[in-house]
């Protein structure tokens, strides 16, 4: 598993430090509020679990599984909700937690779906923001830990073909693994 990773971008320690700082910021920004924090599965599960333990607020947690399909060039595209949240978010402050914002297509569509339920606000929190020219939406992260280049990264929840999620660090997957 480790030998498939070309280089380590962020170590376990760097991630822990960034997640802690982000949790502090979210806590300060939402003082006195009780947000609903929604993790987008599966990629966000490790980030979400570390992040919420660094958020000192009376919050609620929920999860959603959404898969995007259709024309990649269409802003906000279409997503299929495979698992919806159980929480009523009407009038609530919502923070969506994502593993990586690539084209932003999935999150733009998820945000649109959740907006129809009349929350007080929706913010986006992503572990990684991919610096790419392929963004199809003007949706941007309100909170993020790190920027990454236009490369395929794995670890700390992020997968390639369901593997590598359990790596403690975030690394760049060697091209030969996904280009045959
Ligand atoms: P978007 O709709 O293009 O922003 O796609 C976001 C989703 O694609 C993420 O939630 C990931 O599941 C997946 N993804 C995009 N880039 C990577 C990557 O470099 N590594 C692993 N998954 C990725």
């Amino acid at each position: 598993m480790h030998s498939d990773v070309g280089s380590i971008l962020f170590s376990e320690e760097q991630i822990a430090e960034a997640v802690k700082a982000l949790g502090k910021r979210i806590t300060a920004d939402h003082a006195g509020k009780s947000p609903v924090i929604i993790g987008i599965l599966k990629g966000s599960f490790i980030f979400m679990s570390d992040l919420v333990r660094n958020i000192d607020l009376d919050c609620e947690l929920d999860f959603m599984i959404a898969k995007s399909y259709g024309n990649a060039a269409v802003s906000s595209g279409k997503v299929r909700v495979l698992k919806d949240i159980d929480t009523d978010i009407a009038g609530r402050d919502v923070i969506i937690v994502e593993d990586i914002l690539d084209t932003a297509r999935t999150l733009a569509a998820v945000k649109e779906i959740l907006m129809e339920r009349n929350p007080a606000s929706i913010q986006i929190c992503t572990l990684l923001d991919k610096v790419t020219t392929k963004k199809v939406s003007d949706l941007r992260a309100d909170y993020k830990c790190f920027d990454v280049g236009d490369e395929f990264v794995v670890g700390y929840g992020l997968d390639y073909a369901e593997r590598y999620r359990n790596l403690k660090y975030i690394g760049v997957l060697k091209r030969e693994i996904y280009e045959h």
Side-chain angles (χ1 to χ4, degrees):
M1 179 167 72
H2 299 284
S3 60
D4 293 351
V5 176
S7 62
I8 295 178
L9 290 178
F10 307 107
S11 68
E12 189 181 353
E13 292 74 23
Q14 285 173 306
I15 297 168
E17 201 179 305
V19 173
K20 192 173 172 186
L22 192 58
K24 252 187 161 171
R25 235 184 95 199
I26 293 175
T27 303
D29 289 354
H30 293 77
K33 295 187 175 171
S34 48
V36 180
I37 305 177
I38 301 175
I40 307 298
L41 294 173
K42 302 177 193 167
S44 73
F45 82 108
I46 295 179
F47 175 42
M48 173 90 167
S49 65
D50 283 344
L51 180 67
V52 296
R53 282 177 289 174
N54 284 287
I55 295 179
D56 192 11
L57 295 169
D58 184 10
C59 54
E60 284 174 53
L61 312 183
D62 211 332
F63 293 93
M64 194 166 174
I65 302 179
K67 287 254 180 302
S68 56
Y69 64 95
N71 184 352
V74 177
S75 161
S76 85
K78 291 226 191 299
V79 296
R80 206 151 40 103
V81 176
L82 301 181
K83 186 229 169 283
D84 205 342
I85 52 171
D86 306 311
T87 315
D88 178 4
I89 58 167
R92 305 291 304 273
D93 294 301
V94 171
I95 303 172
I96 304 176
V97 176
E98 173 71 306
D99 56 351
I100 183 165
L101 204 57
D102 184 7
T103 66
R105 189 162 148 252
T106 316
L107 266 200
V110 165
K111 189 176 174 185
E112 233 172 75
I113 291 169
L114 295 180
M115 281 300 270
E116 286 168 10
R117 303 178 189 175
N118 302 314
S121 66
I122 295 190
Q123 288 183 307
I124 306 292
C125 174
T126 188
L127 172 66
L128 304 173
D129 193 1
K130 211 178 252 195
V131 178
T132 167
T133 53
K134 288 179 247 153
K135 295 255 190 275
V136 298
S137 158
D138 53 12
L139 174 140
R140 294 291 175 263
D142 298 286
Y143 299 104
K144 67 173 148 182
C145 285
F146 307 108
D147 283 323
V148 291
D150 204 352
E151 317 172 279
F152 202 86
V153 297
V154 292
Y156 195 69
L158 288 104
D159 75 312
Y160 171 67
E162 294 303 328
R163 295 174 61 209
Y164 312 104
R165 290 195 198 273
N166 55 323
L167 291 175
K168 291 184 177 180
Y169 53 84
I170 297 167
V172 179
L173 192 63
K174 286 181 182 166
R175 278 192 173 270
E176 68 240 40
I177 307 298
Y178 58 94
E179 282 180 0
H180 301 288

